[in-house]
Amino acid sequence: MTRELLLAAFIMCVGLSVAGAGTHLYQWLSRQEAMLRMDGRTVLGAVGHLVMSVVCGPYIMLQMGWRQESGGTLSMTSALISAVVAFGWAFVTGLFIMSVYLAIRF
């Protein structure tokens, strides 16, 4: 049981670290804030934004949960929901990255 939980935590860590690195790389290269979107000037641009949203989504969700409300406070509900969604999404992203790594490696 402990092995399975540690493996799931490792996969989430991989997904979250890839999402964070991808988000900062995207923001550095495109000089704009990363956000979840599907728009674009061309079809290729829209597909690029969609791929970026899927890969970088967990990190963007965590950032969205920590945004302040109008009174300068944090909403605990928003932070908890975004954290649950982000870590679940990070597991899926990490599972995809680990599968690609193992497919290339072996």
Side-chain angles (χ1 to χ4, degrees):
M1 178 86 175
T2 305
R3 284 186 188 162
E4 289 84 3
L5 289 174
L6 286 176
L7 179 63
F10 177 73
I11 291 172
M12 278 191 289
C13 289
V14 167
L16 198 56
S17 62
V18 166
T23 302
H24 287 286
L25 181 67
Y26 174 81
Q27 289 177 352
W28 176 58
L29 291 176
S30 69
R31 307 262 190 252
Q32 61 183 350
E33 184 182 2
M35 60 183 81
L36 301 175
R37 61 185 186 181
M38 298 185 309
D39 63 334
R41 292 186 201 144
T42 63
V43 174
L44 188 61
V47 170
H49 284 180
L50 182 64
V51 169
M52 183 276 305
S53 293
V54 168
V55 173
C56 302
Y59 192 77
I60 296 170
M61 282 298 297
L62 282 176
Q63 287 178 341
M64 287 172 58
W66 286 104
R67 290 203 177 138
Q68 292 184 354
E69 298 289 321
S70 60
T73 60
L74 290 176
S75 169
M76 191 58 120
T77 306
S78 174
L80 288 174
I81 289 174
S82 71
V84 168
V85 170
F87 284 115
W89 197 342
F91 181 80
V92 173
T93 303
L95 201 59
F96 176 71
I97 297 297
M98 294 292 292
S99 324
V100 169
Y101 172 74
L102 289 175
I104 291 171
R105 177 91 168 115
F106 297 109

